[in-house]
């Protein structure tokens, strides 16, 4: 693995760094682990250097965090590692940010998850208390999450001292980037007027903006410089490897059955079919199961059968049998047995026309995988990632429960920031989203059916990936395949008590199905696969980019 510091890390810290070098909470947790492990170590200095740099990267992702700014200044008083210009910026943020004494109303709004009302309240508080950056920081976080860039721009429109330029450039550049104006984003991220520094996170986003403008050679120079400065930021290595050495493939090597099941979502299903039909279907047949719908789904299916002819097979059921049973019904159809691959696609997902090319590249790179999946983002708000690659958290060693064998929790750095291309890569993982995932039909047959205990829906796809993982098969995440999803998954979408109860019940079923030893073995295999994958790719990439620029 690139960088001698890797050998100094304990297993949990190494695992977390291999999972991601992005996501503010993820970075803070990992940095604290590394620094705590440095006590009593012969390599204390090297470990502290890595941990402190991760603190700095976390601040770069959220530069109005007053507490983090204060912590970095305290560390700098001991280590003196920060340039004076950055010290001035951190000092301004730290001295103009304080946690208000009464946060009761804010906490009530947060508990209600009324984001529009919360945005209005934060806007009012920011206007009333411009001297306290606490309010501005939280306002900007929510405004970006909701794609309310006009709110963010208005909140930033005030007179600032020049020492705040790196912070302003970060947010203004992000507004341009998330709006798709990569030329403007480039101009802002690269601004060094009045001696402004360019933080490392801004440089990565600058590289991505350049690459999206077709200026890859310039992007490669920046990627190489960032990999040298922060070799622990594995996302850059994985992404650069795919962009430079692994272009998209061709059609999948064999016949593909794309399977959908739907219930009372005729309009969404029709939209999904439109985009799927716009992709090459030379080697594709679509099987669509109407799960007892009472709307006009049957008519929509007849329309698509007329349009696609022998490329489309409708399956009609009189009642809704739930997601896992619908998956099983489709995979066990006699007609499916003649296909090489089976893909399941949600009825409210939008696939790009080149989906086969990305899956083909993943299959070529990892031919023995049990399942291949994609990156899923919000439809209409593509900078918000719903799902990327799932890697499990370790269950605490003192965990005891009469029913559960382990605690189902996973590392989720992809949910901790917006999508600036930092998860655009292909690699092994424990599980991928069931929104759009691909199997070899032979593996799907051997692995067994989706477990009916997870009816009507939720976690049946995760459980199936665990079944594969227990058998020694890996899931593979193809983050270069971006799929738009209309429904917000998980807690962001759940509004009814019954739905929340069903989801919580399925988590309990998952936690009681697998033993602690099985889950520990899955995590250990995942870490070794990540290590091997990163080592191989970083060595190959290093040989290619060393003389660039």
């Amino acid at each position: 693995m690139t960088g001698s510091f890797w050998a100094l890390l304990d297993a949990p810290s190494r695992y977390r760094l291999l999972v991601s070098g992005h996501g503010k909470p993820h970075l803070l947790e990992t940095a604290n682990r590394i620094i705590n492990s440095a006590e009593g170590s012969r390599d204390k200095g090297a470990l502290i250097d890595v941990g402190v740099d991760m603190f700095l990267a976390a601040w770069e992702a959220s530069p109005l965090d007053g507490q983090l700014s204060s912590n970095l200044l305290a560390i700098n008083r001991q280590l003196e590692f920060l340039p004076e210009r950055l010290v001035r910026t951190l000092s301004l943020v730290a001295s103009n940010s304080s946690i208000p004494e009464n946060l009761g109303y804010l906490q009530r709004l947060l508990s209600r998850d009324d984001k529009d009302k919360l945005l209005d309240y934060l806007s009012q508080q920011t206007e009333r208390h411009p001297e306290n950056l606490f309010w501005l920081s939280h306002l900007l976080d929510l405004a970006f999450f909701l794609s309310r860039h006009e709110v963010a721009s208005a909140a930033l429109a005030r007179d600032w001292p020049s020492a705040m330029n790196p912070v302003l450039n970060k947010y203004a550049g992000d507004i341009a980037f998330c709006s798709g104006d990569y030329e403007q984003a480039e101009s802002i991220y690269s601004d060094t007027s009045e001696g402004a520094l360019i933080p490392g996170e801004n440089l990565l986003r600058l590289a991505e903006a350049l690459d999206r403008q077709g200026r890859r050679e310039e992007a490669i120079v920046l990627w190489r410089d960032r990999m040298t400065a922060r070799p622990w930021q594995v996302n850059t290595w994985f992404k650069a490897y795919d962009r430079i050495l692994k272009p998209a493939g061709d059609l999948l090597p064999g016949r593909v059955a794309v399977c959908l099941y739907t219930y009372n979502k005729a309009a969404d299903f029709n939209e999904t079919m439109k985009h799927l039909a716009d992709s090459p279907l030379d080697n594709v047949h679509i099987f669509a199961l109407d799960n007892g719908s009472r709307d006009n789904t049957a008519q929509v299916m007849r329309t698509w059968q007329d349009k696609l002819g022998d490329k489309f097979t409708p399956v009609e059921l009189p009642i809704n049998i739930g997601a896992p049973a619908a998956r099983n019904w489709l995979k066990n159809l006699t007609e499916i047995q003649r296909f090489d691959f089976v893909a399941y696609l949600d009825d409210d997902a939008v696939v790009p026309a080149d989906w086969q090319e990305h899956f083909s590249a993943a299959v070529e790179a990892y031919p023995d995988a049990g399942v291949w999946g994609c990156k899923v983002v919000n439809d209409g708000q593509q900078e918000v990632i719903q799902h990327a690659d799932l890697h499990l958290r370790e269950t605490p060693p003192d965990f005891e429960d009469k029913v559960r064998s382990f605690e189902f929790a996973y590392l989720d750095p992809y949910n901790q920031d917006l999508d600036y291309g930092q998860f655009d890569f292909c690699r092994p993982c424990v599980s991928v989203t069931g929104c759009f995932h691909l199997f070899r039909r032979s593996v799907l047959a051997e692995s067994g059916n989706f477990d009916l205990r997870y009816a009507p829906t939720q976690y049946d796809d995760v459980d199936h990936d665990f079944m594969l993982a227990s058998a020694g098969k890996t899931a593979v995440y193809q983050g270069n395949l971006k799929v738009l999803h209309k429904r917000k998954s998980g807690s962001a979408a759940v509004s009814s008590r019954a739905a929340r109860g069903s989801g919580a019940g399925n988590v309990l079923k998952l936690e009681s199905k697998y033993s602690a030893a099985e889950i520990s073995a899955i995590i250990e295999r995942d870490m070794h696969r990540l290590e091997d994958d990163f080592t191989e790719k970083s060595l190959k990439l290093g040989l290619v980019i060393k003389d660039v620029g």
Side-chain angles (χ1 to χ4, degrees):
M1 297 173 68
T2 299
S4 59
F5 69 90
W6 286 100
L8 308 179
L9 301 176
D10 60 21
S13 300
R14 194 163 67 251
Y15 181 44
R16 280 157 176 74
L17 271 187
L18 286 165
V19 167
S20 181
H22 288 276
K24 177 184 164 185
H26 179 79
L27 289 173
L28 294 177
E29 176 193 348
T30 308
N32 278 313
R33 278 180 171 270
I34 292 172
I35 289 175
N36 289 337
S37 72
E39 287 302 319
S41 171
R42 292 178 301 175
D43 304 293
K44 181 177 180 178
L47 289 169
I48 288 177
D49 285 347
V50 174
V52 169
D53 193 35
M54 294 180 72
F55 278 134
L56 182 58
W59 177 83
E60 291 170 359
S62 183
L64 288 176
D65 185 324
Q67 185 60 59
L68 187 50
S69 298
S70 296
N71 292 345
L72 281 167
L73 289 169
I75 295 171
N76 188 62
R77 283 192 285 273
Q78 297 181 44
L79 303 182
E80 296 184 350
F81 69 102
L82 295 172
E84 183 56 35
R85 285 177 294 174
L86 187 53
V87 170
R88 289 197 294 271
T89 302
L90 289 163
S91 299
L92 276 170
V93 174
S95 61
N96 289 279
S97 182
S98 61
I99 300 175
E101 291 184 6
N102 186 359
L103 292 175
Y105 185 66
L106 175 62
Q107 290 166 344
R108 287 195 294 275
L109 286 178
L110 288 168
S111 67
R112 293 172 191 163
D113 199 30
D114 186 341
K115 292 185 173 59
D116 289 333
K117 194 167 186 178
L118 180 59
L119 188 71
D120 288 341
Y121 175 71
L122 291 172
S123 296
Q124 293 167 12
Q125 293 300 101
T126 299
E127 189 172 344
R128 289 172 186 162
H129 306 284
E131 76 287 350
N132 189 355
L133 296 178
F134 171 90
W135 296 110
L136 178 60
S137 175
H138 288 279
L139 173 62
L140 292 175
D141 285 346
L142 183 59
F144 274 98
F145 181 75
L146 297 177
S147 297
R148 294 291 301 275
H149 301 138
E150 78 286 358
V151 173
S153 294
L156 290 167
R158 62 172 85 166
D159 291 330
W160 296 93
S162 60
M164 289 293 287
N165 284 353
V167 175
L168 300 177
N169 289 343
K170 184 268 184 194
Y171 288 111
D174 290 352
I175 291 171
F177 189 104
C178 292
S179 302
D181 190 344
Y182 302 120
E183 184 176 355
Q184 178 69 2
E186 174 201 350
S187 174
I188 297 170
Y189 287 139
S190 61
D191 175 37
T192 56
S193 60
E194 300 186 59
L197 292 171
I198 306 180
E201 187 61 34
N202 286 18
L203 288 168
L204 285 176
R205 295 178 189 185
L206 171 60
E208 186 67 17
L210 290 168
D211 197 52
R212 295 190 185 191
Q213 294 179 73
R215 293 155 62 186
R216 176 149 299 170
E217 290 299 318
E218 295 172 73
I220 290 174
V221 172
L222 285 174
W223 287 331
R224 182 199 61 196
D225 292 347
R226 296 316 304 158
M227 288 185 283
T228 301
R230 284 181 175 156
W232 53 265
Q233 214 154 31
V234 299
N235 308 58
T236 312
W237 293 87
F238 283 128
K239 177 171 71 173
Y241 177 87
D242 279 8
R243 298 276 176 94
I244 299 168
L245 296 176
K246 285 290 179 181
D250 203 341
L251 299 184
L252 282 160
R255 301 195 64 193
V256 185
V258 176
C259 299
L260 303 92
Y261 50 92
T262 186
Y263 174 69
N264 282 351
K265 292 166 69 176
D268 286 345
F269 171 74
N270 188 55
E271 189 70 16
T272 295
M273 284 298 305
K274 284 181 182 178
H275 287 85
L276 183 59
D278 282 343
S279 68
L281 299 179
D282 309 59
N283 58 335
V284 173
H285 190 96
I286 301 167
F287 294 85
L289 185 149
D290 181 356
N291 218 347
S293 298
R294 295 293 179 262
D295 61 0
N296 65 327
T297 296
Q299 177 57 50
V300 173
M301 286 203 177
R302 284 193 291 272
T303 299
W304 281 106
Q305 190 172 23
D306 291 341
K307 288 181 179 179
L308 297 178
D310 60 5
K311 289 285 185 182
F312 184 86
T313 298
V315 179
E316 186 174 350
L317 298 182
I319 59 171
N320 186 347
I321 61 174
R327 288 173 178 271
N328 293 338
W329 193 295
L330 289 163
K331 76 186 275 286
N332 287 291
L333 289 172
T334 302
E335 302 94 313
I336 290 284
Q337 311 314 308
R338 56 194 175 92
F339 289 87
D340 302 288
F341 295 93
V342 176
Y344 289 102
L345 175 63
D346 276 3
D347 60 355
D348 57 354
V350 174
V351 299
D354 60 354
W355 64 267
Q356 277 206 69
E357 297 173 21
H358 293 300
F359 267 147
S360 178
V363 169
E364 181 182 357
Y366 304 94
D368 297 324
V371 58
W372 299 270
C374 60
K375 180 176 71 175
V376 179
V377 302
N378 285 357
D379 186 24
Q381 199 180 3
Q382 296 184 30
E383 65 270 26
V384 177
I385 300 176
Q386 289 186 16
H387 291 286
D389 50 340
L390 187 147
H391 302 272
L392 291 174
R393 284 183 174 274
E394 309 90 336
T395 297
D398 58 350
F399 176 77
E400 290 185 14
D401 192 276
K402 291 182 179 180
V403 177
R404 302 180 296 157
S405 302
F406 73 102
E407 284 186 323
F408 175 62
Y410 52 90
L411 300 164
D412 63 342
Y414 56 84
N415 288 146
Q416 297 172 10
D417 203 346
L418 299 181
D419 186 4
Y420 298 99
Q422 67 271 42
F423 296 97
D424 291 358
F425 48 71
C426 183
R427 68 171 181 185
C429 60
V430 172
S431 181
V432 291
T433 174
C435 177
F436 189 32
H437 53 170
L438 176 77
F439 301 84
R440 289 193 191 275
R441 188 200 57 77
S442 58
V443 171
L444 191 60
E446 293 167 4
S447 61
N449 285 332
F450 290 84
D451 197 329
L452 297 181
R453 78 182 75 187
Y454 299 100
T457 187
Q458 285 190 285
Y459 300 103
D460 51 304
D461 52 344
V462 176
D463 171 73
H464 196 273
D465 288 353
F466 280 17
M467 291 165 56
L468 291 167
S470 297
K473 289 282 189 182
T474 187
V476 167
Y477 163 72
Q478 173 53 296
N480 300 299
L481 170 55
K482 181 170 69 174
V483 173
L484 314 184
H485 199 207
K486 294 183 181 300
R487 181 179 65 250
K488 290 185 173 70
S489 299
S491 60
V494 175
S495 56
S496 73
R497 188 180 299 274
R500 290 196 299 271
S502 178
N506 282 355
V507 169
L508 181 62
K509 295 171 188 177
L510 190 71
E511 293 172 327
S512 60
K513 180 176 179 178
Y514 298 91
S515 70
E518 286 177 305
I519 296 301
S520 293
I522 288 173
I523 293 174
E524 185 174 358
R525 284 194 293 269
D526 184 36
M527 185 173 75
H528 288 317
R529 286 188 179 114
L530 288 175
E531 284 181 330
D532 292 344
D533 194 63
F534 179 63
T535 299
E536 179 182 350
K537 289 177 178 176
S538 59
L539 290 174
K540 289 180 179 178
L541 185 61
L543 293 174
V544 171
I545 65 173
K546 63 179 181 179
D547 298 321
V548 173

